[in-house]
Amino acid sequence: MSDTDAPLGPRKKGLTRRQRRTLSRGAQYAVFAAAVIAFAVTADWGRLRNQFAQVGIAKQMFPDVITLALKNTVLYTMSGFVVGLVLGMLIALMRLSSVGPYRWLAGIYIEIFRGLPALLIFIFVGVAVPLAFPGTEIPGGTYGKVALALGLVSAAYMAETIRAGIQAVPKGQTEAARSLGFSPAKAMVSIVVPQAFRIILPPLTNELVLLFKDSSLVLFLGVTLEERELSKFGRDLASTTANSTPILVAGLCYLLVTIPLSFVVRRMESKAQEAIR
């Protein structure tokens, strides 16, 4: 028998793809468990409890943390969202306009206000606007200033979201409306925009969550005790009590709103994906 006819020995088999995936998942769980155990063992829970979990201090915050701070935060957020939505819609239509200057102005606005930190926009509204227009007061006082500042910030992002939604509507919808005698403006308002908003509802809701957190920048405008939102309310009490429990309670109040909204966003995204399928 020649060497070439010699029987082959058993082949060494490596790990299958499923086995490698199982080992990788097990290693990740092990690393996570080790990190949790290390944190639990090394953390000074007594000091953390004394600094962040004083029940007596937390009780002092109620009901004002809900009836005053959370209420103001929601009002600031909703007013900014409405201003941003209206302005964003206008900018989106300008962005899609056949008139060159409209497109250029919309593009410049989007690039500037998406590139600037929200903090600078609040300072601009609180300081630069009164200097530029002496004797002019923004309607609504602090609420009006916050609505304008949040609206200017969010409008740049909403404009791009709305533009993408409008462009996602099949062109056949517009052509069908025009064939029925609709003017371009009426076709856009009656046919295209409603369909676009069904598409962009999840990202718009996500923008609402971001605005809810950005409302904490209102403290840079200077607010009265009755105009404080959650962050300012928590910081003031933390300074008074020399304890961080009010900050933790304020953070939990933020989560009380943002977690349900985030869940709603995920549900809407899932339904949108199911509708596409």
Side-chain angles (χ1 to χ4, degrees):
M1 181 182 290
S2 63
D3 293 340
T4 56
D5 295 332
L8 298 175
R11 293 185 177 180
K12 294 183 179 180
K13 293 184 178 180
L15 296 175
T16 65
R17 180 179 300 177
R18 183 176 181 179
Q19 290 173 330
R20 289 196 300 269
R21 187 165 57 246
T22 302
L23 285 176
S24 175
R25 188 182 299 114
Q28 293 176 37
Y29 279 121
V31 171
F32 176 76
V36 171
I37 293 172
F39 175 76
V41 171
T42 57
D44 190 338
W45 293 103
R47 295 184 64 183
L48 285 174
R49 184 171 58 255
N50 290 333
Q51 187 65 25
F52 289 97
Q54 291 294 325
V55 177
I57 296 176
K59 288 181 178 180
Q60 296 176 14
M61 300 178 65
F62 291 89
D64 288 348
V65 69
I66 301 296
T67 60
L68 176 67
L70 182 58
K71 181 199 73 175
N72 283 336
T73 301
V74 172
L75 288 176
Y76 293 147
T77 303
M78 295 308 299
S79 60
F81 183 80
V82 171
V83 172
L85 185 61
V86 173
L87 185 57
M89 184 69 195
L90 176 62
I91 295 171
L93 294 177
M94 291 174 62
R95 186 80 163 161
L96 295 171
S97 174
S98 58
V99 181
Y102 287 168
R103 294 197 307 273
W104 303 333
L105 286 174
I108 292 172
Y109 178 92
I110 291 171
E111 294 303 324
I112 290 177
F113 283 89
R114 282 200 308 182
L116 289 175
L119 172 60
L120 294 184
I121 306 301
F122 272 80
I123 295 175
F124 172 80
V125 170
V127 178
V129 171
L131 289 177
F133 304 97
T136 302
E137 290 289 337
I138 297 177
T142 301
Y143 293 95
K145 292 178 182 178
V146 175
L148 178 59
L150 289 177
L152 290 174
V153 172
S154 62
Y157 296 93
M158 289 189 190
E160 287 294 89
T161 301
I162 295 171
R163 179 185 63 82
I166 291 175
Q167 291 180 326
V169 176
K171 292 184 179 179
Q173 299 290 325
T174 304
E175 294 172 356
R178 295 297 305 277
S179 66
L180 293 174
F182 283 65
S183 65
K186 188 175 181 180
M188 176 67 70
V189 174
S190 303
I191 306 297
V192 177
V193 171
Q195 295 186 59
F197 268 86
R198 282 197 291 269
I199 297 172
I200 64 176
L201 194 57
L204 285 182
T205 308
N206 193 51
E207 182 64 28
L208 181 62
V209 175
L210 297 176
L211 280 181
F212 189 77
K213 295 182 291 184
D214 284 344
S215 65
S216 61
L217 296 174
V218 67
L219 63 94
F220 290 97
L221 295 177
V223 294
T224 65
L225 292 177
E226 297 300 318
E227 295 171 340
R228 291 178 297 174
E229 43 70 53
L230 283 171
S231 292
K232 176 66 173 172
F233 186 85
R235 286 184 60 185
D236 288 349
L237 284 180
S239 300
T240 303
T241 60
N243 191 274
S244 299
T245 299
I247 295 178
L248 176 63
V249 174
L252 293 176
C253 289
Y254 276 106
L255 295 178
L256 187 66
V257 175
T258 56
I259 289 179
L261 278 177
S262 299
F263 176 76
V264 170
V265 171
R266 289 193 296 270
R267 290 292 298 171
M268 288 191 297
E269 289 175 345
S270 298
K271 288 184 178 180
Q273 291 176 355
E274 292 175 358
I276 293 175
R277 293 173 185 173

